[in-house]
Amino acid sequence: MNITPRKIHYVSGSRADFGLMARSLQHLAAQPSFDIGVVVTGQHLIAQYGDTRADIIDAGLTVVADIPVTLTGHDGAEMGHALAEELAGFLRLWHRTPPDLVLVLGDRGEMLAAALAAVHLGLPVAHLHGGEVSGTLDESLRHAISKLSHYHFTATQEAATRLTRMGEDPAHVWVVGAPGLVGLTEGIDHDPAWLGRTFGVPAARHHILVMFHPVVQEATAAGAQMQIIVDLLAARDCAGILMRPNSDAGGAAIDAVLDRAATALPGFVICDHMSRPAYLRTLAHVDMLIGNSSSGIIESASFDLPCLNIGTRQDARQRNKNVVDCPQIDPATLASAFYKATKLTGPFENLYGDGQAHVYLSALLQRLVLDPAHLSKRMTY
């Protein structure tokens, strides 16, 4: 008997979310029970952020639509306009060709726009990485997406418990682990010459990967915060890679600091974009990850890599033991935290799962009953 594949649209707005989901999406797409399509928007379609739509094609996945927006990292109004444009784009797309299920991840504006569009069109939404906290605007967006979603695939039991305390139906909440851990360290061997050969990074006492993004509520301070990080590195025997920030308000100010950093940091290379395989290999070859990316919170422990987590962007998220926090961004506090991070040694256990999220997700999506009654949500308390 022929069974019509379940049509699932995954929404992707940047290298960040796609890198986390790529292996799981490939696993789902390889199965005849699923028809997987990717709706592309946000930074993926902007040259400044690497034109990363090509990463999706190179992964062998099908792009079903492009929804372009304008994002430069200038201010919050720009982010709000982009969300509105994405909402309109999702509505046009899914009114014309609705999927059986919309799949979203995390806390970004495009994910909220997708969830809003889906519920207005009577489409069920499944949310990955819901129930986590950070204390910034990202947390508000994450919880809003969860309240608009009908099915939840969390990274930890703590996150699942939080969702049920928020009134979500426990029968629709499953712990699958972080999808970004799928195949994370496969095929990566340590080669001491790799950083120099690949990026031209010179020898140094500390090889560092820096990923620092703006916090929307602190956008006016973003440039000064980045400068403190640059000054820290310039005063030490460090070399490595500085990644450009995302498109949130304050990103342009961070970019301006990075543009001026070449003289102060001659041992560092500035990267607009790095493919997922290159990024994972970089994690395996540096001595520390510095910044405020969720990658430091979730992925770096699997590489036994110390993470110096700076500022408030990941505030209150569950920590692995490889993380040193520096919530206050000033030279003295950052210097002390850096020293502490240099003393950390693995191995580190990763509380975000066993790297099998793709298997659990596939099994759950295959047996998931998409009952129209689930679209009418009600608080469980």
Side-chain angles (χ1 to χ4, degrees):
M1 181 176 67
N2 292 327
I3 300 176
T4 302
R6 176 165 284 178
K7 182 189 292 187
I8 299 174
H9 282 182
Y10 174 70
V11 173
S12 187
S14 74
R15 68 190 182 206
D17 76 78
F18 181 72
L20 299 178
M21 280 298 294
R23 291 291 294 269
S24 293
L25 292 172
Q26 289 172 320
H27 180 75
L28 295 174
Q31 300 177 58
S33 50
F34 300 116
D35 176 8
I36 303 296
V38 182
V39 184
V40 179
T41 187
Q43 298 173 43
H44 275 307
L45 304 174
I46 302 173
Q48 176 182 346
Y49 302 104
D51 272 332
T52 51
R53 181 185 189 275
D55 292 357
I56 300 168
I57 303 299
D58 292 343
L61 295 165
T62 300
V63 173
V64 294
D66 294 328
I67 301 175
V69 297
T70 298
L71 287 167
T72 66
H74 182 62
D75 59 24
E78 179 185 73
M79 295 170 63
H81 284 298
L83 190 154
E85 293 167 11
E86 288 158 345
L87 174 59
F90 292 132
L91 286 168
R92 285 191 296 269
L93 169 66
W94 292 331
H95 182 66
R96 184 175 65 250
T97 54
D100 299 312
L101 181 70
V102 172
L103 188 62
V104 296
L105 178 145
D107 57 14
R108 304 296 297 167
E110 61 270 16
M111 304 299 179
L112 177 59
L116 281 166
V119 297
H120 281 85
L121 294 170
L123 302 176
V125 180
H127 186 203
L128 292 131
H129 271 292
E132 298 172 25
V133 295
S134 62
T136 64
L137 176 62
D138 294 346
E139 178 174 336
S140 297
L141 295 181
R142 188 186 304 270
H143 296 333
I145 295 165
S146 289
K147 297 311 295 183
L148 291 165
S149 299
H150 310 93
Y151 311 105
H152 306 274
F153 304 115
T154 71
T156 67
Q157 182 58 54
E158 180 180 296
T161 300
R162 186 172 291 110
L163 282 175
T164 58
R165 290 177 63 193
M166 288 168 56
E168 296 302 299
D169 186 345
H172 294 162
V173 180
W174 300 272
V175 180
V176 299
L181 301 187
V182 177
L184 195 67
T185 61
E186 288 179 6
I188 299 178
D189 298 319
H190 187 72
D191 175 0
W194 185 82
L195 277 176
R197 186 171 64 249
T198 305
F199 297 104
V201 174
R205 183 178 180 184
H206 306 291
H207 280 136
I208 308 292
L209 174 63
V210 179
M211 294 182 64
F212 185 74
H213 300 295
V215 175
V216 175
Q217 300 97 318
E218 304 168 14
T220 57
Q225 292 171 341
M226 186 70 232
Q227 187 62 57
I228 291 171
I229 297 171
V230 169
D231 293 344
L232 171 91
L233 299 174
R236 288 157 179 79
D237 184 10
C238 296
I241 299 168
L242 297 159
M243 295 297 298
R244 294 280 186 184
N246 64 24
S247 60
D248 286 354
I254 293 175
D255 273 325
V257 173
L258 294 180
D259 290 339
R260 299 191 300 267
T263 301
L265 299 175
F268 280 80
V269 176
I270 299 174
C271 285
D272 295 335
H273 166 64
M274 195 183 293
S275 70
R276 179 70 171 176
Y279 175 70
L280 296 181
R281 194 168 291 275
T282 299
L283 290 180
H285 286 87
V286 295
D287 302 311
M288 189 186 302
L289 174 60
I290 292 179
N292 57 8
S293 169
S294 61
S295 181
I297 300 298
I298 297 173
E299 298 167 65
S300 61
S302 295
F303 292 92
D304 293 329
L305 177 66
C307 169
L308 175 51
N309 177 61
I310 299 174
T312 61
R313 188 168 183 262
Q314 305 296 337
D315 187 34
R317 292 187 87 170
Q318 288 179 264
R319 294 328 195 226
N320 290 304
K321 291 184 178 180
N322 69 313
V323 177
V324 173
D325 286 310
C326 181
Q328 183 175 329
I329 308 177
D330 64 71
T333 305
L334 186 58
S336 176
F338 178 86
Y339 177 78
K340 184 177 179 181
T342 64
K343 300 304 179 183
L344 287 180
T345 57
F348 303 108
E349 183 179 354
N350 198 321
L351 61 84
Y352 282 92
D354 59 4
Q356 296 298 303
H358 61 312
V359 176
Y360 307 138
L361 188 60
S362 173
L364 288 166
L365 288 174
Q366 287 196 46
R367 66 172 186 260
L368 185 64
V369 178
L370 300 179
D371 187 340
H374 295 166
L375 298 177
S376 299
K377 293 180 61 176
R378 179 173 296 168
M379 298 288 279
T380 58
Y381 61 85

